[in-house]
Amino acid sequence: LLDRMEVEQRSRVLEMETEYDFVSATVRVRELEAENNHLKAALQKSREKHSRLKQDFGKKVREQNEIIDNCLDKAAAEKQIAELKAYYEARVCELELSLK
């Protein structure tokens, strides 16, 4: 009778340990799922920030290129004005000489 009671007690202890292990594993799975969801949210936020930074960088590059183009256009226009001024000054001199 004692052996039988001892076997039953050991059996119940094993059941309880198994149940405890299962509950512990379930809790750990839920913790890991929560951590995974947190990491997914952080990754999404990081991707969105990266996308915004990439767009901002592209916008800044376009703005800088526009500034450079405007400077080049201005330099070309100033050169053309100087050439035209020199040409007309030479023409004026020619006309003045022809009037003398």
Side-chain angles (χ1 to χ4, degrees):
L1 182 65
L2 231 104
D3 286 342
R4 191 169 158 210
M5 287 176 62
E6 192 177 314
V7 167
E8 286 178 14
Q9 189 176 15
R10 284 185 183 167
S11 178
R12 277 188 257 140
V13 167
L14 283 174
E15 279 181 36
M16 290 173 66
E17 286 176 348
T18 302
E19 193 174 321
Y20 175 81
D21 290 344
F22 177 76
V23 169
S24 294
T26 303
V27 168
R28 184 65 182 136
V29 166
R30 287 187 181 148
E31 289 171 348
L32 290 172
E33 286 174 341
E35 185 178 346
N36 188 40
N37 289 336
H38 173 74
L39 291 172
K40 282 181 180 178
L43 177 62
Q44 181 62 30
K45 191 174 181 180
S46 178
R47 285 181 175 156
E48 290 169 1
K49 184 176 181 181
H50 177 262
S51 178
R52 281 193 309 275
L53 290 173
K54 191 174 175 183
Q55 289 173 354
D56 290 347
F57 180 75
K59 182 180 175 186
K60 292 291 182 191
V61 168
R62 287 189 296 279
E63 289 172 358
Q64 291 297 318
N65 286 340
E66 189 176 318
I67 290 169
I68 290 168
D69 290 345
N70 288 339
C71 289
L72 293 175
D73 291 346
K74 182 180 176 187
E78 288 173 347
K79 181 180 176 188
Q80 190 174 11
I81 289 170
E83 289 172 355
L84 287 172
K85 184 178 176 185
Y87 170 79
Y88 285 114
E89 285 176 354
R91 293 290 297 145
V92 167
C93 285
E94 287 177 22
L95 289 172
E96 286 176 347
L97 285 175
S98 68
L99 291 174
K100 287 185 182 177

